[in-house]
Amino acid sequence: MTSPSPRRLTILIFSISIISSFIILNRWAITDIGVLSYGRIWQLYISYQDFGFIRRAFIGTLLSITGLNSSIENEYVFAIVAHHFSIIILSLIIIFYIINNKIENIPIIITIALSPALIIQSGYTTGSLDIFVLIIASINILLSRNPIIFSALIFIGVFTHELFIFTIPAQLIAYIMRTRGEISNSINSDLHMPLLSILLSVCIVHFLGTSDLSKEFVEATMAEKIPNAAGQHGLWSGYFEISRTASENSLGSISALLRDIGGGIAFLSIPLLYVCVVTIRLHFYSSKFTESMAMVISALFPLLTALVATDLYRWIGMSANMGLLLTLVMLTKEKTNEMKTTYLLLPFSLLAPFGSAQIDWPFPAHQLILERLF
């Protein structure tokens, strides 16, 4: 009897990951609040057409122009359906890269597909734009070689959510590695357009993306678009997110960060340990110190999001994801027999997914099961 080919094993492993993510995503079927467990859905409905240019409205504008977000009457049902498709798209991007580049190391593939931070956590971090940030970032890290496409995706990503800014260092490192083969100190002409796109998009969102519209107007407009969600959440309309400045977010988040770290470091320890092991493995995939440090720092960069926003497990997960995606890039560049860290990462898959908002809720699926049992 012949053993399955690496390609079939890859598809099988990712299928397990997708199904696991879907189970987490469809927690509405067993929770007391039903579809409201998805969280906020305003991001999928807010648009430039209603409020002019504002931050975090790109996806909602795209869905509104195409009419996709009006194809299903209940907004929560649409959000859940859209999230299923988004998880599939993210998975297919990674599967395509692995198969196309003939990556056949099954233990490493398991640590990517069954990571507690990547596909499976995407089934839990609903009510946010994280899945779209991940899709755009993964395309740039794994597939983009053309500077025009790479730069355009940066614009789209920054307009999607400011969190995307913290994934840009990893994207730049991957772009340089995939186009040049190594990291050098010089800024060649192929980086001029991406760097310009970063500067312009960040300035546009920073200076023009905050709304001064009244809360009454925003909520009245959004109530017409998402009547089932109106009043169901303290932040249901998106007014808070589109009206607060970066400095206001930073002040509140730093105090929340200090409070959370002071009272919940024990809860954070395992997810942070996971990020450390991911970046240690990434370090081994380059024999050059400068290159190795550039990759590690870029992978850890999303952790800085904690200075301007809460939800620590989201930022820990995003940092781990940058490390995992960069590892895939390095697998096609450097040959190494380093497998110790990979074997260390395998048990973490049993802890999937990592949490989202509550500092004392690091492993939501496990904690929910234990809560129901005991």
Side-chain angles (χ1 to χ4, degrees):
M1 183 177 179
T2 59
S3 58
S5 66
R7 177 172 180 169
R8 289 183 177 179
L9 280 175
T10 297
I11 294 173
L12 175 61
I13 293 166
F14 272 89
S15 297
I16 294 171
S17 176
I18 293 170
I19 292 170
S20 300
S21 185
F22 284 177
I23 291 173
I24 300 298
L25 173 58
N26 289 291
R27 59 191 178 277
W28 58 267
I30 62 169
T31 57
D32 297 333
I33 57 176
V35 293
L36 295 182
S37 64
Y38 183 89
R40 296 164 293 172
I41 60 171
W42 65 266
Q43 301 100 323
L44 304 180
Y45 289 87
I46 199 164
S47 79
Y48 303 146
Q49 295 168 305
D50 296 314
F51 304 113
F53 179 78
I54 47 175
R55 61 188 183 189
R56 305 190 192 180
F58 179 83
I59 297 298
T61 300
L62 188 63
L63 294 173
S64 296
I65 290 174
T66 58
L68 288 174
N69 59 9
S70 59
S71 60
I72 298 176
E73 185 176 354
N74 187 295
E75 311 94 81
Y76 285 102
V77 175
F78 170 77
I80 293 170
V81 171
H83 212 94
H84 280 84
F85 281 105
S86 300
I87 289 170
I88 291 172
I89 291 170
L90 174 63
S91 303
L92 288 177
I93 292 167
I94 301 171
I95 292 169
F96 173 81
Y97 181 85
I98 290 173
I99 292 176
N100 191 54
N101 287 278
K102 296 180 172 59
I103 297 173
E104 299 181 347
N105 189 313
I106 299 302
I108 290 180
I109 291 172
I110 291 174
T111 63
I112 302 293
L114 300 181
S115 163
L118 188 54
I119 295 169
I120 300 178
Q121 191 187 24
S122 293
Y124 186 72
T125 52
T126 54
S128 72
L129 291 163
D130 291 6
I131 185 67
F132 301 103
V133 167
L134 259 178
I135 288 172
I136 299 166
S138 65
I139 293 173
N140 259 357
I141 291 174
L142 300 178
L143 305 178
S144 295
R145 288 179 178 269
N146 184 296
I148 297 176
I149 296 174
F150 185 85
S151 302
L153 287 172
I154 286 176
F155 255 100
I156 292 172
V158 175
F159 285 1
T160 296
H161 196 293
E162 307 90 273
L163 163 63
F164 186 84
I165 296 170
F166 294 91
T167 70
I168 290 177
Q171 295 177 53
L172 284 174
I173 294 297
Y175 179 75
I176 293 169
M177 291 299 298
R178 297 181 65 249
T179 55
R180 300 185 196 174
E182 63 178 3
I183 297 174
S184 62
N185 295 325
S186 61
I187 298 178
N188 292 359
S189 58
D190 59 340
L191 284 179
H192 290 168
M193 186 178 294
L195 292 176
L196 180 61
S197 72
I198 295 169
L199 178 63
L200 285 177
S201 59
V202 171
C203 287
I204 290 171
V205 170
H206 178 72
F207 291 108
L208 303 177
T210 303
S211 168
D212 58 359
L213 298 169
S214 69
K215 182 179 180 180
E216 292 75 18
F217 175 75
V218 172
E219 291 193 343
T221 303
M222 292 305 295
E224 291 183 7
K225 304 191 76 170
I226 49 174
N228 291 299
Q232 297 288 356
H233 188 285
L235 305 174
W236 70 271
S237 69
Y239 171 77
F240 177 83
E241 288 85 346
I242 67 174
S243 62
R244 282 175 65 91
T245 63
S247 59
E248 289 173 331
N249 282 336
S250 179
L251 289 173
S253 296
I254 291 174
S255 61
L257 174 64
L258 294 175
R259 183 181 65 249
D260 287 343
I261 290 177
I265 190 64
F267 297 109
L268 292 167
S269 58
I270 293 178
L272 285 173
L273 176 63
Y274 174 74
V275 172
C276 288
V277 180
V278 168
T279 51
I280 288 170
R281 180 174 69 173
L282 181 60
H283 159 75
F284 283 118
Y285 277 95
S286 177
S287 56
K288 302 173 184 176
F289 178 79
T290 303
E291 187 173 271
S292 174
M293 286 299 98
M295 290 190 299
V296 169
I297 292 171
S298 68
L300 294 175
F301 213 77
L303 291 177
L304 294 177
T305 313
L307 298 177
V308 294
T310 53
D311 298 357
L312 289 178
Y313 296 117
R314 287 171 62 195
W315 320 140
I316 291 171
M318 193 63 72
S319 181
N321 293 336
M322 294 304 102
L324 294 172
L325 294 173
L326 284 173
T327 300
L328 284 175
V329 173
M330 293 306 298
L331 280 171
T332 64
K333 300 297 179 184
E334 295 277 347
K335 302 299 180 184
T336 176
N337 293 321
E338 168 57 38
M339 288 296 292
K340 292 179 182 178
T341 48
T342 291
Y343 295 136
L344 284 175
L345 285 172
L346 288 173
F348 284 96
S349 296
L350 300 175
L351 299 175
F354 287 157
S356 179
Q358 294 175 252
I359 196 70
D360 60 348
W361 207 246
F363 311 114
H366 302 73
Q367 289 172 270
L368 177 62
I369 292 171
L370 290 174
E371 187 180 72
R372 289 301 177 94
L373 289 176
F374 302 106

